[in-house]
Amino acid sequence: MALMLEALARSKTNMLISGGTGSGKTTLLNILSGYIPASERIVTIEDAAELQLQQPHVIRLETRPANIEGKGEINPRALVRNALRMRPDRIVMGEVRGGESVDMLQAMNTGHEGSMTTIHANNPRDAISRLENMISMSGINLPHSTCRQQIASAITVIVEANRLSDGRRKITSIQEITGMEGDVLTMQEIFSFRQTGVDAEGNVTGYFKASGVRPKFADSLLAQGIPLPDALFDPTHHYQ
């Protein structure tokens, strides 16, 4: 799973990290951003400076609340629009919470491949629904099918992070968005964590396994010189 996530980060694949509060979304975003090549120009957009990118060419943008007179506010939408004028190779957004999701999806669709962001959601399907709701919060009245079309063309992979009952954080699902069938957005799971129980000390037991589906993005990775071995997607292998 780590090998595949590294390959996705290096190959400029748009990723969305979803999970609940305290599930390690920002930590995971930090780790994935570490695989971005040092030669790239990165713009980060955050409410509070949590990301710690080690690359030499990073531009950090932070939102600013309004002052006591209600003036001077800088919201995420304004930062995303300004980031597009800075000619970034990638945009890394701390979290999408509202109308800025439209601008982020537009950026992913218009040549800013490799962009990453996080979203509060309980599962990958829920993350899609939340993104749809956020698009409506932007004041743009788009049909649901158009919203889903935007999401399907912008995002390739959704990584689900979860905090288990014993306090450990795990990646519980990696899913690929494969496109649209009518008005329905289609997804396929590539890796997942299967919980088998809880031991005497309260620790969650389980294993990671591949679903056996070879993802569509494997061919584009191969074209970029980052091949993924077929054994990676063998569903008979269980990983602790």
Side-chain angles (χ1 to χ4, degrees):
M1 288 164 73
L3 188 72
M4 190 180 78
L5 288 174
E6 180 183 350
L8 289 169
R10 288 190 190 283
S11 65
K12 290 190 142 187
T13 302
N14 292 333
M15 284 191 273
L16 179 69
I17 300 166
S18 77
T21 305
S23 60
K25 298 187 298 297
T26 307
T27 306
L28 181 56
L29 183 61
N30 245 330
I31 294 164
L32 291 177
S33 64
Y35 294 125
I36 298 173
S39 58
E40 292 188 21
R41 174 180 169 88
I42 308 160
V43 175
T44 68
I45 300 168
E46 300 174 86
D47 280 335
E50 293 178 303
L51 296 174
Q52 298 161 356
L53 276 72
Q54 304 301 314
Q55 287 84 347
H57 203 161
V58 178
I59 298 153
R60 306 177 71 96
L61 302 179
E62 276 186 68
T63 58
R64 187 172 71 191
N67 62 17
I68 198 164
E69 294 166 352
K71 295 176 182 173
E73 181 187 9
I74 299 173
N75 61 32
R77 288 198 77 172
L79 292 182
V80 175
R81 286 174 187 163
N82 275 284
L84 298 179
R85 297 191 190 100
M86 295 176 175
R87 291 179 50 250
D89 289 309
R90 302 199 195 215
I91 298 172
V92 179
M93 193 161 188
E95 186 178 340
V96 284
R97 291 191 178 90
E100 70 274 7
S101 58
V102 174
D103 302 287
M104 191 67 196
L105 289 173
Q106 297 280 17
M108 287 175 166
N109 269 325
T110 54
H112 295 85
E113 293 96 356
S115 298
M116 306 175 194
T117 187
T118 71
I119 189 169
H120 267 278
N122 297 320
N123 55 62
R125 185 59 69 179
D126 191 29
I128 300 295
S129 301
R130 285 217 63 205
L131 262 181
E132 278 185 58
N133 293 337
M134 286 175 186
I135 290 170
S136 63
M137 287 165 66
S138 68
I140 301 171
N141 293 319
L142 289 174
H144 283 298
S145 58
T146 309
C147 293
R148 289 180 197 134
Q149 189 74 54
Q150 282 267 18
I151 294 165
S153 59
I155 298 167
T156 307
V157 175
I158 298 179
V159 183
E160 178 70 26
N162 261 315
R163 189 167 185 263
L164 304 180
S165 56
D166 59 2
R168 287 184 299 169
R169 296 169 175 85
K170 287 190 186 293
I171 294 174
T172 52
S173 180
I174 301 175
Q175 298 205 16
E176 178 187 30
I177 296 178
T178 53
M180 299 280 291
E181 282 183 12
D183 285 350
V184 180
L185 191 143
T186 55
M187 302 163 74
Q188 60 184 17
E189 190 163 61
I190 302 160
F191 285 102
S192 62
F193 176 74
R194 304 288 169 90
Q195 184 172 332
T196 54
V198 180
D199 65 17
E201 277 130 40
N203 296 318
V204 170
T205 57
Y207 57 89
F208 297 98
K209 74 182 289 282
S211 64
V213 176
R214 184 178 172 81
K216 286 186 173 182
F217 58 70
D219 293 329
S220 65
L221 292 185
L222 184 63
Q224 294 181 55
I226 312 173
L228 292 174
D230 287 335
L232 209 65
F233 308 109
D234 184 353
T236 59
H237 285 171
H238 291 180
Y239 306 99
Q240 292 303 316

